[in-house]
Amino acid sequence: MKQRRILVAVGGGIAAYKIPELVRAFRRVGHEVRCVLTESAAHFVSPLSLQTVSGQPVRSQLFDAVEEGSIDHIALADWAELVVVAPATANLMARLAHGLADDLVSTLALATRAPLLLAPAMNVHMWEHPATQANLSLLRERGAQQVGPGTGDLACGYEGEGRMAEPAEIAARSEILLGRRDLAGVRVLVTAGGTREPVDAVRFLGNRSSGKMGFEVAREVVVRGGEAVLVSASSALPTPEGTRRVDVVTALEMREAVLEELPDCQVVVMAAAVADFRPASPSATKLRKEDLPEEAGLRLDLVRTPDILAEICREKTGRVVVGFAAESHDVLASAQRKLARKGCDLIVANDISESSSGFDVDRNTVSFVWPDSPVEELPPLSKQEVAAQLLDRVSKLLDHRR
Ligand code: C5P
């Protein structure tokens, strides 16, 4: 992956506290990052935090001899291949729109030839104000790109549009602007969510999978220039931008959808929690306890569902196939057995006994289990970071096979 040079210009809004996370996202994929702050930004995020996560000195003054000595502002403007303004406050956008050069950030924005990505964040009334909208239009006419804002709770207590886009979203948009496309031309089939196996007209056997992990993988595929087909089982999550989504309910439906999409896919990531058993003969109507003898229990007759992952591994023909193993005990040993039994290229194992990782949370602690190299144990990461790490490995495997 080509390492790029990103200048992060931090504006003075509460969302600035999220910027170290953005810097880490850039660094994780190998980019060089330098941070500059407006004077008011330092009220919301410490320059030392930004220096630590970027690994570079942070600048905030235009006329500081020491700062100019380390890298002068014109050199910094030339150095950048992308300038990300986050949070882009109403005041900062107004100054950029009018070409002011009265502090370091505004001067850099004028001096650079790099594309400008704005991540606006402010109170909803400030956002909706015609002055702000006019300034933004002006910046966009001149080629500035925009990510967000989203809608939701705002720090000022209001609810509405004005939340800064999440760091992952800003990072994703930046990659697109930088043209990083290591999965260009690659179609990836991702399964996500948890299947539901009907018991009767209203009940099902299901599991706790939310679909978050698989959805993050699909999102990351698109960011890297690939095509993502997302076969989603009972997930309420919104479809990640640019992915094609096929909704299914049962394991049998998932198998059918996967087999249909498979021939055109070079990579399969099976993140879905697929039921291993299903009721043998679900009732078409609702089962009523009144119809059973008083105090009687109910026995469900279950039959095995097809193992989709094992089935697609039998005819891999050069395809990269990744499975997941969510385990509550003996995690690595069980993942290793699964890898051998199913015959996939990689198993992502995670320990679901830990409440901070696994089902329906944003973080995950996983290990990559390989057929012929040592297990890689990753620290606790956001699911987006896990997806990025996973696709780094997939991309390398594809390179080897090419
Ligand atoms: O066998 P187990 O459910 O533990 O294996 C998990 C992996 O196998 C996951 O990648 C899951 O998507 C896949 N799987 C499958 N078909 C099944 C059960 C699991 O493809 N019937």
Side-chain angles (χ1 to χ4, degrees), residues 11 79 99-100 114 117 127 132-133 170 180 205 240 304 328 356 372:
W79 170 89
L100 299 191
L117 176 62
W127 169 249
T132 302
Q133 290 303 315
I170 302 173
R180 187 188 64 167
L205 294 181
R304 271 185 192 272
S328 58
S356 61
D372 41 25

Side-chain angles (χ1 to χ4, degrees), residues 191 193 251 254 269-277 304-312 322-327 334 338 341-342 344 347-348:
T191 66
M254 176 164 278
V269 178
M270 294 281 295
V274 186
D276 293 320
F277 296 93
R304 271 185 192 272
T305 56
D307 189 323
I308 310 166
L309 181 58
E311 185 174 348
I312 61 177
V322 180
F324 273 68
E327 304 290 343
S334 159
K338 206 162 284 183
R341 195 174 67 238
K342 304 205 187 206
C344 39
I347 288 262
V348 183

Side-chain angles (χ1 to χ4, degrees), residues 85-137:
V85 183
T89 59
N91 178 50
L92 187 49
M93 287 201 296
R95 287 166 47 234
L96 299 185
H98 295 282
L100 299 191
D102 57 352
D103 74 347
L104 180 67
V105 168
S106 55
T107 304
L108 284 168
L110 268 191
T112 190
R113 289 286 172 95
L116 200 63
L117 176 62
L118 304 167
M122 65 199 72
N123 160 272
V124 57
H125 295 161
M126 293 170 82
W127 169 249
E128 286 171 352
H129 198 287
T132 302
Q133 290 303 315
N135 289 331
L136 184 64
S137 303

